[in-house]
Amino acid sequence: MAKRECRSSAKRRLFVIDIENIQGKAILTEEDAIATRNEIEGEFEIGESDLVLIGTSHKNNFLSAKFAWPGAQHCFKPGHNAHVR
């Protein structure tokens, strides 16, 4: 089967970020979340129309991420490896 060329006129991208795994920590400070945001924004040009979704599994991490990245959408699901379910 031949590969199809992907052409898109879409003006927005979706960034899904597991901030705890990027930091390699179970508990994050707001400074950790800011460092992650700076790292990602340094690697990718995130535009006004792009969507950013930050996932966390601890309520304190949710708050740290929310304060550090207020323009993003945030989701919270408690538990060990909550993303696996």
Side-chain angles (χ1 to χ4, degrees):
M1 178 177 217
K3 291 184 179 179
R4 296 187 329 189
E5 186 176 325
C6 181
R7 294 184 186 181
S8 175
S9 62
K11 302 286 186 207
R12 80 180 356 179
R13 298 171 294 169
L14 172 63
F15 293 87
V16 180
I17 300 165
D18 182 336
I19 197 165
E20 294 154 335
N21 280 336
I22 290 173
Q23 278 291 317
K25 299 179 179 182
I27 304 297
L28 302 177
T29 64
E30 189 174 342
E31 290 77 20
D32 293 329
I34 290 169
T36 301
R37 179 181 181 177
N38 290 339
E39 180 182 336
I40 291 169
E41 288 183 340
E43 186 73 26
F44 301 98
E45 249 182 73
I46 298 177
E48 288 289 318
S49 62
D50 293 334
L51 300 172
V52 179
L53 175 65
I54 312 290
T56 55
S57 65
H58 189 276
K59 64 182 175 182
N60 291 339
N61 295 347
F62 175 85
L63 293 174
S64 295
K66 186 79 169 164
F67 292 135
W69 211 321
Q73 296 294 312
H74 296 266
C75 63
F76 165 67
K77 186 171 183 182
H80 180 70
N81 288 334
H83 64 285
V84 176
R85 294 179 196 188

